[in-house]
Amino acid sequence: MNKIAVPDEVLDIVRVLERAGFEAWCVGGAVRDALLDDPHMDYDIATSARPEEVLRLFPRTVPVGLRFGTVGVLDRRRQLHEVTTFRRDIATDGRHAVVQYGVSLEDDLARRDFTINALAYHPLREEWRDPFNGAADLTRRVVRAVGNPAQRFREDYLRILRGLRFSARLGFTIDPATWEAARAATDGLPQLSAERVRDEWFKSLRTARDINELVRLWRESGVAAAWMPELGPASEAAGVIEPGERDPVLLTCLLTSDPVAVLRRLKASNQEIGRAVALGEALPLPDRSDEVTVRRWLSRAGAAAGDHATLIRWRTGQRPAWALVAEHIRQRGDALTRDALAISGGDLRSIGLEPGPGMGMVLDRLLDRVLEDPTVNTREQLLSLAREV
Ligand code: ATP
Ligand code: MG
């Protein structure tokens, strides 16, 4: 097999480990992606050194996953590289693993999920270890579980979701036995934690080549039935979304019939759930695209305005006329909220207004005037208007 170009920082880490008498290999997604001509920096390193030895050998480390034997090593440029002790997972219960060190590279590769993720490359000796024929599967473009797929999914049901993600991201098919085992294992999916499912869903949405393919896989595998029955069939809209636009919250709104329920179930953040709530609120869209109408609407829609515009563009395949106007308004920085008025509560007190509902009403009237005509937003003009009202 070919050599792959491993960054110098990674070579340095491997050298330090080997000079201290340990084995160290490049493993995981970066090796896979390098073979697919999609090189990136974040090589994972697997080593025979125990975590405490890794901590001792490198001056700058971060204990990123000590429980699983992972130490983050910072290079000169403060980039983090994950160094993980060869391990075997004993006593897996479908969610968590108890790990055992003191095992070989082969054992470590055997506990990995898919053959394409179970290759090891020695960047100094330029040697390969590929006990599960991952390189052949990369050529055949197949996602295939390492070992007995049913057993591997029982050990960790998240692997099912990971398999779907890799398939959708790489455009690979799923090996028939792996696919059958995934479909048969879906009754174990409910025991996954919502956080892990959410992370996979979001990551899958961001990386899928074709979102519809991901949707199809989630539905046909039974993952959607377990975690997201609101996930609708593939849609024309989702087919055309550019990779640069993969906002997982907005995509969940596009693809599911009850995004608020989905995001709550997945324990998304309050901010993320809030975005879905705002999108679901009945806020009539601007019926015209003149500046005053659009400014008034932007003022009411607040932070949700951009999400509304994007979602409509996805759904209809075109940008609504008002969205273009909205962009000009934003670029110009027209005042859209009370806070953006060129006048303060102190200014209003100086003309005899007391803080309270009365002052609030005056501010609303002033904002209304400024939404009609942004040039009015100067202190002098607003003060004289305030005297009138
Ligand atoms: P990417 O980072 O591009 O999503 P990756 O393959 O690097 O893909 P990671 O989650 O970073 O995925 O994990 C690194 C490696 O650890 C994987 O390639 C795989 O060998 C192994 N791995 C990760 N999660 C699991 C799991 N749940 N079960 C078995 N092996 C796993
Ligand atoms: Mg990775």
Side-chain angles (χ1 to χ4, degrees), residues 28-29 32 112-113 117 156 159 162 165 169 203:
R32 174 197 67 221
R112 292 173 185 272
D113 47 7
N117 292 343
D156 180 1
R159 289 174 185 156
R162 286 174 55 87
R165 168 159 65 86
R169 167 176 156 203
K203 204 166 175 182

Side-chain angles (χ1 to χ4, degrees), residues 73-88:
V73 172
L74 293 168
D75 66 24
R76 280 174 257 113
R77 298 181 310 161
R78 300 212 142 253
Q79 281 248 25
L80 188 121
H81 305 272
E82 291 196 354
V83 178
T84 304
T85 304
F86 291 162
R87 62 176 234 216
R88 188 163 35 204

Side-chain angles (χ1 to χ4, degrees), residues 218-236:
W218 268 56
R219 284 166 60 96
E220 290 183 3
S221 62
V223 169
W227 275 94
M228 213 182 276
E230 301 88 346
L231 183 63
S235 73
E236 211 179 306

Side-chain angles (χ1 to χ4, degrees), residues 48 54 67 79-80 103 124 130 143 189 269 291 298 332:
S48 57
V54 178
R67 234 157 33 95
Q79 281 248 25
L80 188 121
V103 304
L124 304 176
D130 181 16
V143 175
L189 287 169
S269 70
E291 295 220 341
L298 286 173
R332 227 169 27 226

Side-chain angles (χ1 to χ4, degrees), residues 290-301 329 332-338 340-341 363-377 382 385:
D290 61 280
E291 295 220 341
V292 175
T293 306
V294 175
R295 257 195 307 272
R296 286 217 167 100
W297 183 80
L298 286 173
S299 174
R300 256 182 303 133
I329 290 169
R332 227 169 27 226
D334 290 354
L336 298 170
T337 62
R338 278 193 199 176
L341 291 175
L363 284 166
D364 280 341
R365 292 281 285 280
L366 296 180
L367 177 60
D368 208 51
R369 282 288 292 120
V370 168
L371 291 171
E372 258 165 42
D373 178 5
T375 65
V376 176
N377 194 20
L382 291 181
L385 276 170

Side-chain angles (χ1 to χ4, degrees), residues 47-48 73 105 119 133 166 174 205 208 219 273 314 333 335 358 377:
T47 181
S48 57
V73 172
L105 171 68
L119 289 126
N133 296 318
F166 291 122
I174 298 176
L205 288 171
R219 284 166 60 96
I273 295 168
W314 286 349
N377 194 20

